[in-house]
Amino acid sequence: MTFRLLSVHAHPDDESSKGAATLARYAAEGVDVLVATCTGGERGDILNPALDTAETWADLPAIRRREMAAAAEILGVRQRFLGMVDSGLPDPGESLPEGCFAALPLAEAAAPLVALIREFRPHVVITYDETGGYPHPDHIRTHEITTEAFTAAADPTRYPGTGEPWRPQKLYYQATLSRAWFEAIHKATVAAGLESSMAEVLNELPPDKLPITTKIRCENHFATRDRALLAHQTQVDPAHPFFTHSREIERQTWPHEDYHLAHSTPGPKVEDDLFTGVTP
């Protein structure tokens, strides 16, 4: 019996910056891993100064699809776009673009994910918590449609015409790249007598609020994670502090990626496997 894992994200590159080593580990172990990408990232920025050119901007939607395909191949996972349009990140008080992902009615936005869950039939689903991880409207809407689809996919009276009902057994929220992670890497780096670039990131991060129920050991896949993230060339500044810390220090200090079990009752101990308690 092959377990199936679905990870739902807002834009191309999110799958590589949040929980990528976990996906690579499970894919390497034979789990059928599928990434669902809600939008094409059409309204995203270009964060790599070397690629901030008129030519890149003109072809950005196609470039981001190619980057996504390259990252999925590196991680060893399958990937599906759900066909929504990136909402961008409006300024305070600015309206969302008409027809974008975050502006659609919930049922309309969730329908493609319900259909995908009924087709792929995942045992476990991963997405963001209600904050979206950060307040981007597409990340918040990704949480909303995933929690909607997680429940609705099992109900034969809802979303007719989208396949046979299926009930995933567990839903997790991402808790990677937490303040605790940055603090641990920063302290270990300084203790090793090395210069840390994490202090500037820590100055911007709020306290962690999401309880950690699950820690997935995946240190052997950190290099794969990094290669997948760098495959999103337009979305990554190679000079970002994330790429400057020692990977050996990270493997020793924080060899896992963290999650919060949102659906299914957490046990008394921290889990070390997303499929704990899952039946085929």
Side-chain angles (χ1 to χ4, degrees):
M1 175 64 192
T2 299
F3 284 124
R4 294 179 297 277
L5 173 62
L6 176 64
S7 188
V8 187
H9 290 279
H11 312 106
D13 82 273
D14 289 326
E15 83 297 325
S16 296
S17 62
K18 303 167 187 67
T22 298
L23 302 185
R25 171 195 151 170
Y26 279 114
E29 292 177 355
V31 173
D32 190 358
V33 180
L34 177 63
V35 170
T37 311
C38 294
T39 80
E42 301 87 352
R43 290 190 170 98
D45 292 324
I46 295 176
L47 302 179
N48 184 343
L51 296 177
D52 190 358
T53 66
E55 292 79 11
T56 303
W57 280 107
D59 199 30
L60 187 59
I63 290 171
R64 296 201 69 178
R65 283 182 173 265
R66 293 195 293 270
E67 291 173 344
M68 182 66 253
E73 183 175 1
I74 290 167
L75 294 173
V77 305
R78 295 193 283 154
Q79 186 267 342
R80 185 87 61 87
F81 284 103
L82 296 185
M84 307 300 170
V85 177
D86 189 347
S87 306
L89 190 57
D91 292 328
E94 185 180 357
S95 298
L96 290 167
E98 184 177 354
C100 72
F101 179 39
L104 293 176
L106 179 61
E108 182 179 346
L113 184 57
V114 172
L116 181 61
I117 288 175
R118 288 174 172 175
E119 173 194 339
F120 180 58
R121 304 169 79 80
H123 299 93
V124 173
V125 178
I126 306 172
T127 194
Y128 320 130
D129 70 5
E130 62 275 7
T131 70
Y134 82 111
H136 190 296
D138 287 340
H139 283 247
I140 295 170
R141 179 42 61 102
T142 297
H143 163 81
E144 292 168 349
I145 71 159
T146 305
T147 53
E148 165 74 2
F150 184 87
T151 302
D155 187 343
T157 69
R158 302 184 66 190
Y159 295 88
T162 57
E164 294 297 317
W166 175 258
R167 185 184 302 277
Q169 296 179 42
K170 300 175 84 174
L171 174 65
Y172 286 96
Y173 295 158
Q174 299 271 1
T176 56
L177 299 183
S178 60
R179 182 179 181 86
W181 180 86
F182 278 100
E183 286 179 340
I185 302 300
H186 172 70
K187 290 178 180 178
T189 300
V190 172
L194 301 174
E195 183 178 353
S196 171
S197 57
M198 296 294 188
E200 59 187 271
V201 179
L202 284 169
N203 290 335
E204 301 174 357
L205 291 178
D208 296 328
K209 296 181 179 179
L210 201 62
I212 303 304
T213 64
T214 310
K215 297 182 177 183
I216 305 301
R217 290 290 297 257
C218 50
E219 67 270 34
N220 292 335
H221 300 278
F222 286 168
T224 302
R225 171 203 65 191
D226 292 347
R227 288 194 297 116
L229 185 53
L230 288 168
H232 291 280
Q233 295 181 43
T234 62
Q235 301 305 298
V236 173
D237 181 354
H240 189 276
F242 177 78
F243 293 106
T244 62
H245 70 271
S246 162
R247 270 29 187 186
E248 183 55 34
I249 287 177
E250 182 185 9
R251 283 190 288 269
Q252 294 175 3
T253 305
W254 204 284
H256 45 82
E257 291 181 332
D258 302 336
Y259 299 88
H260 172 77
L261 180 59
H263 180 85
S264 189
T265 304
K269 297 182 178 179
V270 174
E271 296 178 323
D272 60 5
D273 184 359
L274 297 178
F275 294 94
T276 296
V278 171
T279 56

